[in-house]
Amino acid sequence: MSSNGMSRRKLSKSLLKKAPEMEALANRIEKAMPYRFPRGYMEWNELRALVAMQMVSVAHSGVVKKLGSMGDQAGYFNAHRYSLWAVQQAPIYCLSKEVFHAMLNTTINEEIIKNLEILLPTIMLLFPDNSLRSSEAVVDHLVIHTSDLRYPENSTGKNFGYEIKYLPQEKQTIIHSTTVDQNSITWLAGMSVEEGKVDYDKSNKLGVFTVEKDDDDFLDIIRQIALMTYIILQSNPEMIGEVAESEIPKTVGKGFTPQQKGKYIKPRIIRVPNNKKAKVESPTTREGSHSSKRTHWRKAHYRNIQSKDGQPKLVYVRAAIINPQ
C-alpha cells in the first residue's frame, strides 16, 4: 500500500502534460492497443496513461537493485506488474456484475487449488463502476501476474522501447494482484501456491503505510478475485464472451488526447451463463442425503469429478436456496 497524494485521474493528466517521455509512451501503447471499453467501466485513456506512468517509473528507478532496501517495495512491484502487462500486450477481461458478486461468494477449497493450472501469467481485469472499494477509494481494475521459478521468461518482456526484467523470488509460484485506486493509492496482494495450498504472510508489509484490518480484508478480496479468475479461465471457457458493439460508447472521456479514429479492439467479458445462475432447489433435487432439512443458502463452489478419460475435471456448482419453505 502506497500513495501519490493526488487523485489518479488528475495525476495521470498532469504527468502526461509535464513528462514528454510518458506522453510519447502512452501514444505508442495506444497505437499498438487501440482499446475501447464498454459503458460502465473505466476509460482506456486513463488506464493507458497510468500504465505509461508505471513503465517510466520502472525504467528510472532501478527496481531490481532497490527491492532489498527499506523503500516502497509495494510501489516497485506494482509498477513492474503493470509494465509486464503492457510489454506482453496481455489480455483484458471485463467482469460482469453477476460474475463479480459470484466471485466474492464462492468457496475455493484445497482440492481445487491442487488442480489449478495457470493458463495466462498476466491479465488485466476491469470491474463494473462502483462495485469495489478499498478503504480509501473506488477500485476499477486489477492487474494479476503469476511468476514461476520454472518459467522466468513469463515474467519478462521487451516492447515499446522498454525492457522489463525478471524479479527474483523464493517461492516457486507467486500470484500478485495489484491496482491503483482512484485516490492514487497502490494496493498489492501476494500469495504463494504450492502443493495445492495458498499461503501469504500478512506480517510481510511491503508498503510505507500501516495496513489496518479493513485493508487486510480488502487485500483478501482481491486475492479471491485473482484465484476465481484463473479457475474460470481454466474450467469455464463458456463464460468468456465478446463485448457487443452496442456496449461501446461513441465518444471518449474528456481530459485526455482523443483516441485514434478507425479500427479499435475490445476487451473480452466474463459473464455468468444463464444455466449457471442461482436457483431454488426443492428437497428432491438437492445433492446428497446429508443435506439439512432446514432452509439455507448454499454458496457456489467448485468440485472435482472424474471425467471419461479418468482425469479430474472442475465442475461449477451453482449457488442455491436449499429446501425452501
Side-chain angles (χ1 to χ4, degrees):
M1 178 179 174
S2 60
S3 173
N4 292 304
M6 185 185 299
S7 78
R8 189 187 67 201
R9 187 176 183 85
K10 184 176 181 180
L11 178 66
S12 299
K13 290 192 292 184
S14 174
L15 288 175
L16 284 180
K17 292 179 180 179
K18 297 178 180 179
E21 179 183 359
M22 193 175 299
E23 182 179 20
L25 176 56
N27 290 336
R28 291 200 296 273
I29 292 173
E30 165 64 21
K31 186 175 181 180
M33 298 183 285
Y35 271 106
R36 292 279 291 277
F37 293 164
R39 297 179 188 86
Y41 296 88
M42 73 177 302
E43 296 173 4
W44 167 236
N45 276 331
E46 185 174 358
L47 181 58
R48 69 185 175 93
L50 175 62
V51 171
M53 178 176 67
Q54 303 287 38
M55 290 182 68
V56 171
S57 173
V58 169
H60 293 286
S61 65
V63 174
V64 174
K65 294 180 180 179
K66 290 188 177 182
L67 280 176
S69 74
M70 296 299 292
D72 182 9
Q73 296 181 25
Y76 296 143
F77 270 110
N78 173 270
H80 186 272
R81 287 355 189 184
Y82 273 84
S83 302
L84 277 179
W85 175 84
V87 298
Q88 295 175 355
Q89 293 187 224
I92 300 178
Y93 295 94
C94 298
L95 297 184
S96 70
K97 291 182 180 179
E98 294 81 5
V99 166
F100 175 80
H101 292 295
M103 283 182 166
L104 302 187
N105 291 283
T106 296
T107 302
I108 306 174
N109 58 38
E110 288 187 7
E111 183 183 13
I112 303 306
I113 300 300
K114 190 176 298 183
N115 291 283
L116 182 62
E117 181 181 359
I118 306 299
L119 300 178
L120 293 170
T122 313
I123 54 179
M124 176 88 72
L125 298 181
L126 303 184
F127 302 138
D129 284 347
N130 301 310
S131 60
L132 180 63
R133 288 187 62 91
S134 67
S135 58
E136 302 292 333
V138 169
V139 173
D140 46 24
H141 70 286
L142 187 69
V143 178
I144 305 171
H145 177 73
T146 299
S147 55
D148 194 310
L149 283 173
R150 298 167 297 179
Y151 312 109
E153 65 276 10
N154 289 343
S155 298
T156 64
K158 189 175 183 179
N159 205 345
F160 308 115
Y162 292 78
E163 181 178 4
I164 307 304
K165 297 182 179 180
Y166 173 74
L167 297 183
Q169 63 189 71
E170 296 180 358
K171 302 287 186 178
Q172 177 173 297
T173 304
I174 298 176
I175 301 176
H176 278 135
S177 306
T178 189
T179 189
V180 178
D181 69 25
Q182 291 185 2
N183 277 355
S184 298
I185 304 293
T186 294
W187 298 89
L188 176 74
M191 54 186 163
S192 63
V193 181
E194 294 187 26
E195 300 180 352
K197 295 184 178 181
V198 175
D199 182 48
Y200 54 91
D201 183 4
K202 288 189 176 183
S203 66
N204 184 17
K205 309 302 184 186
L206 298 177
V208 296
F209 291 91
T210 300
V211 178
E212 305 293 344
K213 174 63 168 57
D214 288 347
D215 302 328
D216 272 332
D217 291 344
F218 170 72
L219 295 175
D220 284 342
I221 287 174
I222 61 177
R223 289 187 186 99
Q224 169 86 358
I225 290 172
L227 286 173
M228 280 299 305
T229 300
Y230 279 131
I231 291 172
I232 289 172
L233 293 176
Q234 175 184 346
S235 306
N236 300 99
E238 74 279 3
M239 295 176 67
I240 313 300
E242 301 291 336
V243 172
E245 291 294 334
S246 60
E247 298 177 86
I248 303 295
K250 295 181 180 180
T251 59
V252 298
K254 298 179 181 180
F256 293 94
T257 303
Q259 294 168 307
Q260 63 189 50
K261 296 181 180 180
K263 294 183 178 180
Y264 57 85
I265 57 179
K266 299 175 292 184
R268 306 203 73 185
I269 189 166
I270 303 178
R271 291 190 172 106
V272 177
N274 290 332
N275 64 349
K276 290 187 182 294
K277 292 183 179 179
K279 67 174 184 177
V280 174
E281 292 187 356
S282 67
T284 58
T285 61
R286 68 180 186 271
E287 299 174 359
S289 58
H290 62 281
S291 299
S292 171
K293 292 183 179 181
R294 65 179 176 80
T295 301
H296 65 280
W297 174 258
R298 183 186 67 195
K299 292 180 69 175
H301 61 281
Y302 279 83
R303 66 176 180 174
N304 271 316
I305 65 170
Q306 192 173 41
S307 61
K308 293 180 179 179
D309 59 4
Q311 298 299 315
K313 178 182 178 182
L314 284 173
V315 174
Y316 182 80
V317 180
R318 292 174 290 185
I321 299 174
I322 306 300
N323 194 20
Q325 300 297 320

